[in-house]
Amino acid sequence: MKVTLRKVTKTPLDFVVKSDEITFKGYLEYHGGKLILLKATLMGSLEKSCDICAEEFIMPVNEEVEFFISDGVYEDESSIELDVVESFDGIADIDELLNSEIELIKSDYHSCDECKHSN
C-alpha cells in the first residue's frame, strides 16, 4: 500500500496491511512542516530461531510503533531527537515499512520458552 504524503492531512488516514502472520494497523496524520506521524500496532506471530538453542519457535508479536515520515530530507532545527524515516519520492510505502519493522523485531535477541525457563 502506497500513500502520497502530500495527501495526508490532520484527519488521520487509517491503514491496515498484512504480511504472513503479522497485521500492521494504524494511521498517518500530518504533524507539521514536512513531517507525517505514523502510529500503529504490529500484531500476530513470527517464526524465529532461538538465539540460545537455534530451534525454531513461534514468537507472539504485539508492538506499538510510532515514528515520523519526512517528505524529503529531514533537517532538525531543534535539539529534539525524533525517529524519522525519510521519503525521497513523496510516497510512504506502508508494506516496506511493515517489512522493516518485522526485520527490526527479528534482529533483536529472542529465546524460546524452554531456554527462558532453563536459565
Side-chain angles (χ1 to χ4, degrees):
M1 172 182 185
K2 294 186 180 190
V3 176
T4 304
L5 293 176
R6 70 175 176 259
K7 292 185 177 182
V8 178
T9 65
K10 286 280 191 185
T11 303
L13 175 64
D14 296 330
F15 65 84
V16 177
V17 292
K18 294 183 180 188
S19 173
D20 297 325
E21 300 297 320
I22 297 287
T23 300
F24 191 37
K25 180 178 181 180
Y27 65 88
L28 295 167
E29 180 179 74
Y30 177 74
H31 181 73
K34 297 191 288 183
L35 294 178
I36 306 296
L37 172 66
L38 181 142
K39 278 188 100 161
T41 304
L42 286 165
M43 293 185 72
S45 60
L46 289 174
E47 189 171 314
K48 173 85 170 82
S49 295
C50 176
D51 290 321
I52 297 172
C53 69
E55 291 294 321
E56 294 288 322
F57 71 101
I58 302 297
M59 181 179 76
V61 175
N62 187 1
E63 298 277 331
E64 297 293 322
V65 178
E66 181 176 334
F67 57 83
F68 293 93
I69 301 170
S70 175
D71 190 1
V73 175
Y74 174 68
E75 295 175 10
D76 185 16
E77 288 124 21
S78 66
S79 61
I80 299 171
E81 288 192 31
L82 301 174
D83 287 332
V84 178
V85 174
E86 295 175 329
S87 171
F88 299 109
D89 58 3
I91 294 173
D93 187 338
I94 305 299
D95 295 306
E96 184 177 315
L97 293 171
L98 167 59
N99 290 332
S100 295
E101 290 299 320
I102 289 171
E103 290 305 315
L104 277 172
I105 291 169
K106 285 181 176 180
S107 71
D108 204 358
Y109 182 86
H110 299 285
S111 57
C112 65
D113 287 339
E114 191 172 316
C115 290
K116 283 180 189 175
H117 297 310
S118 66
N119 288 335

